[in-house]
Amino acid sequence: MDWGLKNRISRIIKPEDNRAVMLAVDHGYFLGPTERLEIPRKTIRPLLKYCDSIMLTRGVLRTSVDASFPVPIVLRVSGGSSIIGADLSNEKIVTSVRDAIRLNVSALAMSIFIGAKYEHNSLVNLGNLVNEAEEYGIPVLAVTAVGKELEKRDARYLSLSCRIAAEFGAHIIKTYYCEDFEKVVSSCPVPVIIAGGPKLKEREALELTFNAINAGAVGVDMGRNIWQSDNPVPMIKAVRSIVHEHANVQQAYDLFKKLVKEPQKPLAISQKQNNKQKPTKQKK
Ligand code: 5RP
């Protein structure tokens, strides 16, 4: 593996333990202002220092993350359909590798839609993106099984999706947890991370995390189960304890409950100002 590619992957999957906590906040690219991600800066800011990397679009990156904060960026570059559009699987690469380089990203992310109407296009997108990104030593994260395809969430379907993504050259695969997840991981020759999916009770989301890690996932790319929690910071810390500190479900849940009871540290003044910008008076 080329030095640059290896270096970028190591920003995402920590070489100390081969594990990854990625925070997913790219939902708006097809869902619009998703619940509790309506003001991205407000959602992202308190969580930034607890994730190893963050997955988002260039629009949210440029407007809602401070360029001086040293968090590795996984940039979503596919899109083109919305939740109310004709077909969610009809995506193209909508952000150039050139812009991704300008944004100093650590990886590019895009979705593939196995079994969907636009399966072919999404796979060709993946092949082309890997060709281009590898020229610059940038890894590609393939996201499998979003939207309708999620209904087929079983080991057979997810193994098929993940394996195809790896065969096309994806360097990391993001998929969903399912029963017999070991089969998904063992038949995929590159690292697998899991999405959290729709909001669960905190204990259940921690269980999902634990089971996925136990079955061989290297980590999570989790969104709603962190920032739709009433206690997002305790939740991401609890997820981290499973991914990086070998906590079991009970230990992680106990940590979550303990952190919920602790008084929240007030935000620094500059952070407060950023979160609550006063409207400026218009001159008549
Ligand atoms: C959508 C995505 C999201 O990032 C993914 O669904 C992860 O978020 P969540 O944990 O909320 O499911 O890639 O295409």
Side-chain angles (χ1 to χ4, degrees):
M1 201 185 279
D2 184 57
W3 193 94
L5 196 66
K6 208 168 168 184
N7 177 266
R8 286 191 174 93
I9 290 176
S10 73
R11 296 181 203 160
I12 297 166
I13 303 172
K14 294 290 157 192
E16 303 84 59
D17 57 1
N18 203 35
R19 294 273 170 87
V21 174
M22 189 184 293
L23 178 69
V25 287
D26 61 323
H27 302 59
Y29 95 96
F30 72 102
L31 289 171
T34 316
E35 192 186 344
R36 302 213 177 169
L37 193 55
E38 293 92 343
I39 305 168
R41 177 175 285 270
K42 211 169 153 185
T43 306
I44 294 168
R45 190 137 201 164
L47 297 171
L48 262 188
K49 62 179 169 188
Y50 304 110
C51 59
D52 299 325
S53 63
I54 184 168
M55 179 197 188
L56 73 186
T57 59
R58 64 178 167 189
V60 167
L61 179 61
R62 284 201 165 100
T63 56
S64 312
V65 179
D66 292 335
S68 56
F69 195 88
V71 65
I73 303 299
V74 179
L75 191 72
R76 170 169 284 280
V77 295
S78 71
S81 296
S82 80
I83 192 72
I84 58 167
D87 195 317
L88 215 50
S89 71
N90 192 6
E91 287 195 348
K92 286 202 164 52
I93 301 303
V94 294
T95 301
S96 66
V97 172
R98 200 183 165 101
D99 202 26
I101 293 168
R102 196 178 292 126
L103 289 166
N104 196 26
V105 305
S106 297
L108 302 173
M110 60 156 296
S111 294
I112 59 164
F113 298 88
I114 301 299
K117 186 171 170 194
Y118 293 95
E119 168 189 273
H120 171 77
N121 288 5
S122 71
L123 286 173
V124 174
N125 290 343
L126 175 59
N128 288 338
L129 187 66
V130 171
N131 288 341
E132 203 183 341
E134 281 200 346
E135 296 251 338
Y136 304 98
I138 304 177
V140 173
L141 166 77
V143 180
T144 68
V146 175
K148 266 202 216 150
E149 308 316 306
L150 248 187
E151 289 155 21
K152 304 175 218 157
R153 204 203 295 195
D154 60 26
R156 203 160 164 231
Y157 173 73
L158 295 179
S159 299
L160 177 80
S161 304
C162 293
R163 177 59 177 267
I164 291 174
E167 299 264 352
F168 271 70
H171 305 90
I172 306 171
I173 317 284
K174 164 171 154 177
T175 193
Y176 288 83
Y177 180 72
C178 64
E179 246 179 66
D180 296 327
F181 196 65
E182 301 78 13
K183 287 186 186 162
V184 178
V185 176
S186 63
S187 58
C188 180
V190 298
V192 173
I193 55 179
I194 59 144
K199 173 81 173 72
L200 303 165
K201 288 186 179 145
E202 279 79 0
R203 198 181 199 290
E204 288 169 26
L206 294 172
E207 213 168 304
L208 179 93
T209 306
F210 180 81
N211 290 343
I213 297 290
N214 235 10
V218 302
V220 296
D221 180 12
M222 195 174 270
R224 290 162 289 179
N225 275 295
I226 291 172
W227 41 259
Q228 285 182 345
S229 168
D230 288 340
N231 298 285
V233 171
M235 190 56 189
I236 197 170
K237 286 185 175 176
V239 168
R240 269 196 89 82
S241 74
I242 293 174
V243 176
H244 282 304
E245 289 148 35
H246 307 284
N248 60 32
V249 179
Q250 193 55 48
Q251 287 165 331
Y253 190 55
D254 287 346
L255 173 68
F256 171 76
K257 288 188 296 185
K258 179 176 154 259
L259 293 171
V260 168
K261 282 190 200 138
E262 277 176 10
Q264 297 287 308
K265 277 193 194 142
L267 287 175
I269 291 169
S270 60
Q271 283 178 289
K272 272 189 195 163
Q273 280 168 346
N274 257 321
N275 287 347
K276 281 191 173 186
Q277 273 179 357
K278 286 194 184 126
T280 47
K281 278 188 185 160
Q282 297 273 310
K283 278 187 184 163
K284 282 186 185 163

